[in-house]
Amino acid sequence: EDQVTQSPEALRLQEGESSSLNCSYTVSGLRGLFWYRQDPGKGPEFLFTLYSAGEEKEKERLKATLTKKESFLHITAPKPEDSATYLCAVQAISSNTGKLIFGQGTTLQVKP
Amino acid sequence: EAGVTQSPTHLIKTRGQQATLRCSPISGHTSVYWYQQALGLGLQFLLWYDEGEERNRGNFPPRFSGRQFPNYSSELNVNALELEDSALYLCASRGARYEQFFGPGTRLTVL
């Protein structure tokens, strides 16, 4: 069964304190792995897509990496405005629906 | 370029009533996905529409249904509302490289 597990569930950082969020996945053939940011009560905001192991994408203080079993979202020198829930999702090649399978998310709080 | 839009923002219904939620995808996108995000749970796939047809549904009862119109906008209907249907309902449209772009959601509260 295709599955996504994110850790930790919650993360508290001081402003400027870099860290990483983990997304472990099992899928019968990966079409793509997606990272989203979600603020409370809002829809997820698309951040990155990674398609193959070894791929990396960057956007401001965020960098996403991908291996055959997991993805990391590295946050460098975070600011309070980076506080949000970060969601990881996968899409399986075997799925003819294109649906995304989501993890439970990591809630990040950055204190000034 | 306008993003995915959803209406209404909030919807309050009582048990047994019907709810109708609406979604307009990004211009040029033909695939629309619906997800449910209940409190404490992750996003769960509900329905997929493409080119006006329902292509697949998730593990939800038949009282969750919908349709897609010729302009690719979509409607989600929930009949015989139950308390556990209270959730944030999210619509997404699919881009050229399988990424999905989400709307702001409709918060449905069932009393």
Side-chain angles (χ1 to χ4, degrees), chain B residues 16-93:
Chain B
Q17 285 189 312
Q18 180 197 37
T20 299
L21 290 63
R22 295 180 177 86
C23 169
S24 290
I26 292 170
S27 178
H29 290 185
T30 63
S31 268
V32 170
Y33 293 80
W34 287 94
Y35 293 85
Q36 182 196 66
Q37 188 175 35
L39 198 62
L41 298 177
L43 277 82
Q44 303 293 322
F45 167 70
L46 256 170
L47 288 159
W48 172 38
Y49 291 94
D50 184 54
E51 298 285 354
E53 301 278 337
E54 180 181 306
R55 301 295 184 181
N56 200 265
R57 64 184 298 124
N59 190 23
F60 282 85
R63 49 190 194 83
F64 287 84
S65 66
R67 52 181 172 164
Q68 187 177 35
F69 299 98
N71 66 352
Y72 304 115
S73 66
S74 178
E75 196 174 87
L76 174 68
N77 295 295
V78 189
N79 293 320
L81 284 165
E82 299 179 2
L83 295 178
E84 53 263 36
D85 296 334
S86 294
L88 182 67
Y89 288 84
L90 294 160
C91 168
S93 69

Side-chain angles (χ1 to χ4, degrees), chain A residues 31 34 36 38 41-46 49 51 87 91 96-100 102-104, chain B residues 33 35 37 40-43 45 48 56 88 90 94 97-104 107:
Chain A
R31 172 173 282 145
F34 306 85
Y36 290 86
Q38 187 175 27
K42 304 259 179 91
E45 174 192 346
F46 173 76
T49 309
Y51 295 100
L87 299 170
Q91 192 177 100
N96 58 2
T97 69
K99 72 178 183 183
L100 298 180
F102 281 86
Q104 293 292 97
Chain B
Y33 293 80
Y35 293 85
Q37 188 175 35
L41 298 177
L43 277 82
F45 167 70
W48 172 38
N56 200 265
L88 182 67
L90 294 160
R94 192 179 73 196
R97 298 205 70 194
Y98 307 108
E99 67 275 28
Q100 293 182 17
F101 300 95
F102 285 84
R107 171 70 62 188

